[in-house]
Amino acid sequence: MREHQEARVLKRDALGRIELVHTDEGPLVRRVACGGAVPGSRWIARVLLGRERRALARLGGLPGVAPLHARDGERDAATTLLRGWLAGRPLCLATELPRDYFERLEELVRDLHDRGVCHNDLHKEANVLVGDDGRPGLIDFQLASVHARRGRVFASRAREDLRHVWKHRSVYLAALGEPDPLAGASPRRSLVAALWRALKKPVYGPLKRLVRGARAEERDEPRRDAQGPWPRWRDPVGPRVSAAPGSSREDPARAR
């Protein structure tokens, strides 16, 4: 694989950087788990990179999730991950949404669960993409978990994934003046999610600023302002021709 121009840094944070690499095969994304100034950050970055690699390997071939590149792991596997590029924009920056976007997003998340993978970071709209074709995509699997068994831990995490999908849907439908057919049906937060919400502002915010220090190039994830602007509707894209093997839409968390 020969790069025909220099990589461009898309994001830099306390755990490393994400680069867009232009190659003869097309654009690729490279995550470099180099850590930062905080002691132990390189070790944490490498652990999270390993989680992302395991999740992407399990999800290989699933539309809406960038596949690992065939040459991923050939060099510096512990600190570098190479995956495909998903063309699109984060949900919070989208200017158009298909009318069935959130139905398709829920299908995609359920397909993850069918393969035993929970994303665990879908509260961030920056991790949810609106593809150039209008279909949803998911990125940033650093916190993802791969489950061999569908026990209570899997069920709790799967419900959290779906709760965030339903939360995003409720917010966007309300902003666009549409009724939410699932209003009041979203499951309650798990104990872990409730604790995280309680500690996020008083603990996470100051800790994040401490980790960043004076690195002004590290900014918060993009998010849509409560006042908008909000996207406009476009024609629905419809379901994919085939769903994941063994999928069933009756159980919200695929927990059984």
Side-chain angles (χ1 to χ4, degrees), residues 170-245:
S170 295
V171 169
Y172 275 76
L173 290 180
L176 295 170
E178 298 276 350
D180 182 3
L182 295 178
S186 178
R188 285 192 283 180
R189 295 185 183 91
S190 67
L191 177 60
V192 173
L195 288 173
W196 169 249
R197 183 176 177 84
L199 294 173
K200 181 177 180 181
K201 287 187 177 180
V203 177
Y204 178 69
L207 180 61
K208 183 169 64 173
R209 289 191 291 272
L210 176 64
V211 168
R212 284 182 181 172
R215 297 174 66 171
E217 72 273 18
E218 294 177 17
R219 297 177 294 177
D220 287 328
E221 299 284 354
R223 61 179 63 187
R224 193 180 297 275
D225 189 272
Q227 306 304 316
W230 295 89
R232 59 183 178 272
W233 293 121
R234 53 173 280 190
D235 291 339
V237 293
R240 292 200 302 269
V241 174
S242 60

Side-chain angles (χ1 to χ4, degrees), residues 76 130 228 231:
D76 302 321
V130 181

Side-chain angles (χ1 to χ4, degrees), residues 9-203:
V9 175
L10 298 176
K11 178 184 176 182
R12 192 188 304 271
D13 59 26
L15 298 178
R17 64 184 183 273
I18 300 175
E19 302 170 340
L20 175 62
V21 184
H22 293 274
T23 75
D24 294 337
E25 305 169 29
L28 299 173
V29 174
R30 180 166 59 204
R31 182 185 293 279
V32 182
C34 56
V38 177
S41 61
R42 189 167 187 263
W43 177 82
I44 295 173
R46 292 172 68 166
V47 170
L48 296 180
L49 183 141
R51 292 177 69 99
E52 181 160 26
R53 176 173 285 127
R54 285 192 294 274
L56 294 182
R58 178 69 68 90
L59 297 172
L62 181 63
V65 176
L68 287 171
H69 189 267
R71 300 187 64 178
D72 171 65
E74 287 189 358
R75 289 189 298 172
D76 302 321
T79 58
T80 305
L81 180 146
L82 192 65
R83 65 165 176 83
W85 166 260
L86 287 180
R89 309 184 75 181
L91 174 59
C92 52
L93 300 180
T95 57
E96 289 187 331
L97 280 182
R99 284 197 168 272
D100 59 347
Y101 175 80
F102 291 103
E103 286 79 5
R104 304 289 81 80
L105 176 60
E106 183 174 332
E107 286 178 355
L108 175 57
V109 172
R110 290 182 183 278
D111 286 345
L112 261 65
H113 299 163
D114 284 337
R115 297 192 183 200
V117 176
C118 297
H119 188 283
N120 301 325
D121 204 17
L122 292 181
H123 74 284
K124 294 181 181 177
E125 289 188 46
N127 292 341
V128 180
L129 299 184
V130 181
D132 289 348
D133 59 358
R135 295 189 178 277
L138 298 175
I139 59 173
D140 195 351
F141 284 79
Q142 290 185 99
L143 298 182
S145 51
V146 178
H147 301 261
R149 296 178 60 252
R150 309 298 175 90
R152 295 175 64 180
V153 172
F154 170 81
S156 176
R157 293 176 178 177
R159 281 195 297 270
E160 279 298 300
D161 278 355
L162 289 171
R163 185 178 68 82
H164 288 302
V165 171
W166 296 342
K167 179 188 68 177
H168 293 319
R169 172 164 46 198
S170 295
V171 169
Y172 275 76
L173 290 180
L176 295 170
E178 298 276 350
D180 182 3
L182 295 178
S186 178
R188 285 192 283 180
R189 295 185 183 91
S190 67
L191 177 60
V192 173
L195 288 173
W196 169 249
R197 183 176 177 84
L199 294 173
K200 181 177 180 181
K201 287 187 177 180
V203 177

